[in-house]
Amino acid sequence: MPFAQVNGQNLYFEDSGGDGPAIVFSHGLLMDGTMFEPQVAALKSRYRCIVWDERGHGRTATDECAPFTYYDSANDLAALLAHLGIRRAVLAGMSQGGYLSLRCALTHPALVSALVLIDTQAMQEDPAQMPHHQALLEDWQRNGLTDVNAGVIEHIILGDGWSGAAPWRAKWKQLLPVNLLQCFTTLATRDDISERMAEIKVPTLVVHGEADQAIELSRAMAMAKALPNAEVVTVPGAGHAANLTHPDVVNPAIEKFLASLSSD
């Protein structure tokens, strides 16, 4: 299996290969690189698609997880590109993946040709939501993931009634407490980078589910307004993982955006 040993990490990744422009997909909290299967399937004939599992997630996760920030994750992404010999790429990130992709654009701007930001934001977490997140995390660590809490997470990330939810619930039940605690801590303590959005000049596509329960649409719109070169696509009926649950809307939007880059 493909792993990149960088920054003291053993990052799992998958690379579709090919000579097309490179796109690196970065997943959200509690997810892994497989959440982009609909996008990779649609794009891999024309683009080099890379997915990876971030610290504390998927096949990168171990039974230890040292403190880290999303700037560390941005450095992981930059190191993965160097490992693959990719000098410049489109960074596509969902939620947490957007947090690290934005920070990669700020700290490694030469590596980034464009951004696709899916259900993400430049702000910190909404303070009103943090007590609920903390209570769920504490119960999860004490008792494992109950079916009730699995349903809460499913509702937040995937929405209600999505047919592909069962495998994700099974994955969540296998997550180790050490990884849960550190990944939630990283999420909760990240900095607000709203005032730095003007520094990111590359073309940016902001995609957001209109029914996102984790990040309100208004937060994505504020980010898009602050970015100098951004366009917005909203996804009717979609929750937090719009790319996974509504690829019929998200994929054409991404393809149109990528085509516009090649025609510039």
Side-chain angles (χ1 to χ4, degrees):
M1 291 185 289
F3 288 89
Q5 295 185 0
V6 299
N7 299 339
Q9 306 297 310
N10 198 30
L11 301 178
Y12 177 79
F13 69 92
E14 295 181 5
D15 180 0
S16 70
D19 297 326
I23 310 171
V24 186
F25 295 92
S26 300
H27 62 78
L29 183 73
L30 306 181
M31 307 300 280
D32 59 41
T34 64
M35 75 168 300
F36 294 107
E37 286 178 351
Q39 287 68 56
V40 173
L43 297 171
K44 65 182 180 181
S45 65
R46 289 158 291 160
Y47 299 92
R48 182 178 177 181
C49 297
I50 297 103
V51 301
W52 63 299
D53 293 347
E54 299 151 28
R55 296 187 188 205
H57 291 80
R59 297 183 186 181
T60 295
T62 68
D63 58 2
E64 297 180 358
C65 193
F68 72 96
T69 71
Y70 291 132
Y71 293 99
D72 295 317
S73 298
N75 291 337
D76 290 345
L77 176 51
L80 177 59
L81 288 172
H83 175 82
L84 295 171
I86 297 172
R87 297 180 60 185
R88 209 156 182 249
V90 176
L91 305 187
M94 177 265 172
S95 192
Q96 171 182 274
Y99 304 157
L100 71 90
S101 295
L102 283 166
R103 286 161 177 79
C104 191
L106 289 169
T107 56
H108 303 278
L111 297 178
V112 184
S113 59
L115 290 168
V116 178
L117 302 173
I118 303 168
D119 291 279
T120 194
Q121 61 181 327
M123 302 177 192
Q124 296 169 309
E125 291 300 294
D126 182 351
Q129 294 191 16
M130 291 309 296
H132 304 290
H133 296 335
Q134 189 64 37
L136 189 152
L137 174 62
E138 290 174 358
D139 187 75
W140 191 345
Q141 290 186 293
R142 284 195 309 268
N143 305 311
L145 184 63
T146 64
D147 289 340
V148 170
N149 282 339
V152 171
I153 295 168
E154 178 185 340
H155 170 72
I156 293 171
I157 297 179
L158 303 173
D160 295 324
W162 182 58
S163 61
W168 288 103
R169 290 197 300 269
K171 286 186 179 184
W172 296 332
K173 290 191 176 187
Q174 298 302 312
L175 294 176
L176 297 179
V178 63
N179 292 314
L180 281 172
L181 179 59
Q182 185 53 59
C183 291
F184 269 97
T185 299
T186 300
L187 180 87
T189 59
R190 73 181 186 275
D191 56 334
D192 185 340
I193 55 174
S194 300
E195 297 303 317
R196 299 193 64 188
M197 290 298 95
E199 299 174 35
I200 300 175
K201 311 293 187 184
V202 296
T204 302
L205 174 66
V206 174
V207 178
H208 210 88
E210 290 185 351
D212 190 339
Q213 299 293 308
I215 300 174
E216 291 184 0
L217 177 59
S218 61
R219 289 174 166 247
M221 297 298 288
M223 174 183 66
K225 184 176 180 179
L227 287 162
N229 192 9
E231 60 183 278
V232 179
V233 171
T234 58
V235 186
H240 193 45
N243 67 289
L244 182 58
T245 61
H246 291 67
D248 55 323
V249 176
V250 175
N251 284 358
I254 293 176
E255 292 186 67
K256 181 180 178 181
F257 175 70
L258 295 175
S260 74
L261 302 177
S262 61
S263 64
D264 287 345

